């Protein structure tokens, strides 16, 4: 609970940066090919000036709602895989042959699987977040009154496929990301074990 709350607090504080990133990558050019946003600070200033300071938090609801399930699914998947495929023990009760390498490899594989699982399940929420972030920026016409209005209108207009558009790219990004996260944690834990 404490970890989830601290993660949500950090997300809330830094959210305008995420919104700026989404707008910069979502709208590279305006009319006539002219760039509308010229960097993070410029994007936040234009957004606040044209739409109000509250607009810097468009899409924060799905971000906050998605953070806890994403992490829970990711860590839960790793935990389930560790139970389903326990490490082999040698006759002294320790993990056998090349224990450090074996543990790191297991965490790499299980972490990658956890990232894929979490990405697949939570991606529709991420799509809603991006759609809410982009509304009001130059070149967008969709307007939503909140999370559920965005879900309803997007589904009515495009169907379920809309919520998974771009999911493959996200999975390709998240599998190595979480594999490295879990693998490097295990490696550093093993290497520092004799110091603590």
């Amino acid at each position: 609970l404490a970890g989830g709350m601290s993660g949500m607090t950090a997300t809330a504080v830094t959210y305008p940066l995420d919104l700026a990133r989404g707008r910069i990558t979502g709208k590279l050019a305006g009319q006539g090919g002219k760039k509308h946003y010229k960097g993070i600070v410029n994007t936040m200033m234009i957004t606040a000036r044209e739409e109000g300071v509250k607009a810097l938090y468009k899409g924060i609801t799905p971000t906050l709602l998605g953070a806890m399930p994403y992490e829970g699914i990711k860590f839960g998947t790793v935990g389930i895989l560790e139970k389903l495929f326990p490490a082999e023990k040698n006759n002294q009760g320790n993990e056998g042959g090349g224990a450090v390498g074996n543990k790191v490899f297991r965490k790499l594989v299980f972490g990658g699987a956890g990232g894929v699982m979490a990405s697949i399940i939570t991606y529709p929420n991420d799509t809603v977040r991006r759609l809410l972030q982009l509304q009001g920026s130059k070149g967008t016409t969709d307007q939503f009154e909140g999370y559920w209005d965005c879900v309803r209108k997007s589904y009515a207009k495009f169907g379920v496929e809309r919520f998974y558009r771009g999911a493959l790219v996200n999975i390709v990004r998240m599998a190595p990301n979480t594999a490295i996260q879990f693998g490097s944690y295990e490696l550093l834990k093993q290497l520092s074990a004799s110091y603590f």
Side-chain angles (χ1 to χ4, degrees), residues 85-142:
F85 304 102
E88 293 181 20
K89 305 281 183 185
N90 62 21
N91 55 5
Q92 285 91 20
N94 299 322
E95 288 186 21
V100 171
N102 186 29
K103 287 180 180 180
V104 172
F105 179 75
R106 287 170 47 80
K107 288 289 188 176
L108 282 167
V109 172
F110 295 167
V116 168
M117 185 64 69
S119 293
I120 290 170
I121 294 170
T122 63
Y123 194 77
N125 185 68
D126 200 44
T127 299
V128 173
R129 175 186 63 85
R130 282 189 312 280
L131 291 171
L132 289 169
Q133 285 179 338
L134 289 174
Q135 72 175 343
S137 64
K138 300 292 183 192
T140 59
T141 57
D142 293 328

Side-chain angles (χ1 to χ4, degrees), residues 70-84 109-118 121 182:
Y70 180 85
E71 294 299 324
I73 293 165
K74 183 172 70 173
F75 280 93
T77 301
V78 171
I80 289 169
L81 290 172
E82 286 178 335
K83 287 181 182 174
L84 287 174
V109 172
F110 295 167
V116 168
M117 185 64 69
I121 294 170
F182 280 88

Side-chain angles (χ1 to χ4, degrees), residues 139-174:
T140 59
T141 57
D142 293 328
Q143 290 296 312
F144 308 108
E145 295 176 22
Y147 185 87
W148 293 111
D149 185 54
C150 181
V151 170
R152 185 179 50 77
K153 286 179 179 175
S154 298
Y155 179 76
K157 191 172 182 180
F158 301 106
V160 107
E161 312 82 58
R162 176 64 184 107
F163 299 100
Y164 284 96
R165 195 176 297 160
L168 182 59
V169 173
N170 191 58
I171 290 167
V172 167
R173 178 179 70 92
M174 290 313 299

Side-chain angles (χ1 to χ4, degrees), residues 46-63:
I46 289 172
T47 301
R49 183 175 59 241
E50 293 181 358
E51 303 170 52
V53 174
K54 188 177 175 184
L56 293 172
Y57 288 90
K58 282 183 178 177
I60 194 167
T61 301
T63 301

